[in-house]
Amino acid sequence: MFGIIVAAFMLAFGIFLKLTKNPGFAQSKKMAWIFIAIGAVSLIFKIVNYK
């Protein structure tokens, strides 16, 4: 259950980085796609394997 929460948080943070206009996050905007990809893949596999 904790893994699902962490994966969802990573996905949400990646989306936040992609959409934010805050100049403080300008350096981290390059990492947005990595957070989105890792979060989405982790979330999918954790939901599929959840028992």
Side-chain angles (χ1 to χ4, degrees):
M1 187 67 175
F2 179 71
I4 293 173
I5 294 170
V6 171
F9 178 74
M10 285 181 65
L11 179 62
F13 186 65
I15 292 170
F16 166 75
L17 282 178
K18 192 71 179 157
L19 298 178
T20 188
K21 303 290 186 205
N22 190 336
F25 288 109
Q27 296 272 337
S28 301
K29 285 181 99 56
K30 300 171 194 167
M31 301 289 287
W33 285 115
I34 294 171
F35 277 113
I36 292 171
I38 292 172
V41 170
S42 297
L43 190 60
I44 289 168
F45 282 113
K46 290 197 183 296
I47 290 173
V48 168
N49 291 326
Y50 187 72
K51 295 182 182 181

